[in-house]
Amino acid sequence: MNRQKLWVQNAHSIVKMKKVVQLFVSGSEVQKWLLEEALQVVPTLERRNQLKSLIENAHDLGIPMADLEGKAVYPEGAAKSRSNQLAWGLVQLVAGNPNGVPRNKKKIWTDEWTAENFVIFAVVLGFLSISQDDLGVVQITEFGQRFADTMNSNDDKNLNSEEKTILKEAFATYPPAVRILELLLERKRSNPSNPVMSKFEIGHLLGFSGEPGFTSFDNAEWFEMLHDESNSDERKKIRQDVEGTADKAARDISSWMLAVGLVNQERFVQIVDDTEEFMPQGFKITLLGEQVLKRARGNSSNGKTAKNVDWRMLATKTANADYVKVRRSYTLKALQATSSRDEIVDRLEKLGLFDGLGVLEADISGLRQFGLLIEKENNGNYILKDRIRDFSVPAINVTEELKNDALFRLKNELQNELTNIDPRDVEIIELAQEKQKTSSKQTTAATLFETKTVELMKKYMKLNGVHLGGPKKPDGFLYFGTEVGIILDTKMYSKGYDLNINQRREMQDYIFDAKRKKPGVPNNEWWKIIPNGLENMNLKFMWVAGDFTGRYLEGIDETHNKTEIDGAAVDIPTLLRFADRIASNDMDLNQFSNKINNGRMKI
């Protein structure tokens, strides 16, 4: 089955997306440009001929995704970087830059990852379709033909009325866009004097939040991070680079709707320590956006717009992603057929897809945040109030092997067990073990894990404190009055954290800084966050990770002996269980503090 992901990144131009759609129209200007000029940059005659044949038959036969996005082909001897890729796919050319890029006037194409996302952009708005088979053949739809036939504005900032009319229809059918409009309207109604939401506030409430592929920074934590950084270059990096995948989706989708006039963009301002801080990606709904939302949701005079859903939209990088997508798809199909929770459970059980009521609630919550209107009744039943266009789900045999992923099973277990924890917050267990492909992405993911850990402990454990992070600072400091203060260090390791000598010394330095409180040591004086009256004897240290391995107990013991304060290591599943106990008042913070006793914490 085709495992194409159907969430978009790095494709911002509606004009380029429209050209991708027009690639499938026989005799279009895009086809002529490719055949007469652009194909000449493709490195081999054989490949040029292949692409020429695909163009000539595009309208009737479609084009395989692999031939649209291309692949990573490099000049002989060149570094294998995205910027060095040669043109191999048609959308690499169509979504490229006809005038070249500043450092290479001859390079008119883009990379295969960006090309792929422009195709997905057109698919999610209903202009193109992609087959379920492994070939993933892409074809133009009737709706796409209507869009392709409109006059070309060739200007993302000044789309013409014909283009906007079609795009308004498209956004009304696209659940994540509807979700964003809904959130912005709620903000306008609750705070009419300041109806702007940041991309982080939106990202926190978009899609299957918390899951890998739908990560989001806490708004307050992000602003604290920005405020604590004095270096102008580093502040710029935070504004440009520090965001989760759901935050990025919120930014991208909002920027598309900005071009159509459904939202406006404004600075989002927040006061931190009496200082005004801002981020550029704040959004608010327009009157036109409210009209499109009414069309999407329906009212007394208009029926609801049928929503486009594809099973491949319903997860991205989570453990056992294909299984999860299928489970959520059949959950949605069950909701179309019945409002009875018992009958939904029965339907899923017959398919081998029921993983517990906690998991079911998490999936339905995710479908709501995906953009579908689902209400829960007092009796526990659910009512789907949206119309969904029919969509197919691939046939799979649900075997124990398919479901027997340790992380997947643990997450399901915790979502069913922890009744006081939002199921979305359980997703931190995947983030704790996620390994990124590049060092920059790993750094961003590690920062996200730090902030999520602090957010979790503040949200459920009645602690105060902040995320810190950065050079010569612990990842966070959390406290409860003057009774206990926890110096926190978090680690993302896919195979467990061993507390090596360097990391032990870092924690010991943090502790000595906190105990001495010597002005200028370190330069950032992070210890000023410690409340007055919190004695050194009430300080504790804590390492948090997905799991621990090697000689980590030796590291805890060494740190305790050298600093004369108590500490512990706690894995994320155990921390979640503590949070659940404290949130339910089955445990208080003194009991929790007493378990920080120089070993691995157990509940």
Side-chain angles (χ1 to χ4, degrees), residues 368-528:
R368 285 195 197 100
Q369 292 199 164
F370 172 66
L372 300 176
L373 191 58
I374 304 169
E375 292 184 0
K376 187 175 183 179
E377 297 183 304
N378 292 333
N379 60 7
N381 291 340
Y382 302 96
I383 300 177
L384 173 64
K385 293 196 166 185
D386 251 324
R387 288 199 300 128
I388 311 294
R389 287 178 180 158
D390 191 36
F391 66 101
S392 60
V393 186
I396 63 169
N397 293 318
V398 180
T399 64
E400 285 305 310
E401 181 180 359
L402 180 64
K403 297 176 68 171
N404 193 27
D405 178 281
L407 183 60
F408 170 79
R409 288 185 286 111
L410 175 60
K411 185 178 73 173
N412 286 356
E413 176 187 326
L414 290 171
Q415 285 180 330
N416 290 318
E417 173 191 341
L418 306 181
T419 57
N420 298 284
I421 303 294
D422 188 323
R424 297 170 300 179
D425 291 325
V426 174
E427 302 291 352
I428 194 174
I429 67 172
E430 289 200 56
L431 182 61
Q433 299 185 33
E434 190 175 13
K435 186 174 178 60
Q436 301 292 330
K437 293 180 179 179
T438 66
S439 58
S440 62
K441 288 184 177 180
Q442 189 69 24
T443 298
T444 300
T447 302
L448 181 61
F449 179 52
E450 295 165 11
T451 62
K452 284 292 184 186
T453 303
V454 171
E455 182 185 343
L456 175 77
M457 295 178 75
K458 290 169 67 175
K459 183 176 180 180
Y460 297 106
M461 301 174 75
K462 304 168 187 174
L463 290 162
N464 296 306
V466 295
H467 166 250
L468 295 167
K472 297 185 178 181
K473 289 188 285 187
D475 292 334
F477 184 80
L478 296 142
Y479 60 93
F480 180 63
T482 58
E483 296 176 37
V484 63
I486 300 170
I487 299 169
L488 183 73
D489 197 19
T490 67
K491 297 296 177 184
M492 279 181 61
Y493 283 85
S494 59
K495 296 182 180 179
Y497 178 38
D498 63 0
L499 299 187
N500 66 43
I501 188 67
N502 291 330
Q503 291 153 349
R504 299 177 199 180
R505 286 175 179 167
E506 282 183 356
M507 178 64 85
Q508 291 159 22
D509 287 343
Y510 303 148
I511 295 167
F512 289 132
D513 291 339
K515 292 176 74 173
R516 293 167 182 160
K517 299 181 179 64
K518 183 177 179 180
V521 181
N523 292 338
N524 56 55
E525 296 183 345
W526 69 266
W527 42 262
K528 285 185 174 180

Side-chain angles (χ1 to χ4, degrees), residues 13 67 90 108 112 142 170-171 214 239 253 260 307 309-310 315 340 369 382 411 416 452 460 478 537 546 556 598:
S13 170
D67 293 303
L90 290 169
I108 63 170
E112 99 282 8
E142 289 184 14
F171 287 125
F214 297 98
R239 285 200 176 98
I253 297 169
V260 184
K307 305 301 183 295
V309 175
D310 188 296
S340 166
Q369 292 199 164
Y382 302 96
K411 185 178 73 173
N416 290 318
K452 284 292 184 186
Y460 297 106
L478 296 142
M537 61 183 293
I556 298 169
N598 305 315

Side-chain angles (χ1 to χ4, degrees), residues 244-307:
T245 46
D247 305 327
K248 187 176 292 187
R251 171 169 58 83
D252 286 348
I253 297 169
S254 297
S255 71
W256 305 341
M257 293 195 290
L258 174 67
V260 184
L262 309 188
V263 304
N264 286 333
Q265 182 171 339
E266 292 185 9
R267 281 185 170 191
F268 183 92
V269 176
Q270 189 150 315
I271 305 300
V272 186
D273 295 337
D274 298 322
T275 301
E276 185 178 284
E277 300 285 4
F278 79 91
M279 64 174 302
Q281 295 98 1
F283 301 95
K284 68 178 184 180
I285 195 168
T286 64
L287 290 177
L288 182 60
E290 291 186 45
Q291 292 173 9
V292 170
L293 180 59
K294 283 182 181 178
R295 179 187 301 170
R297 289 299 187 218
N299 54 34
S300 57
S301 57
N302 297 296
K304 294 178 177 65
T305 300
K307 305 301 183 295

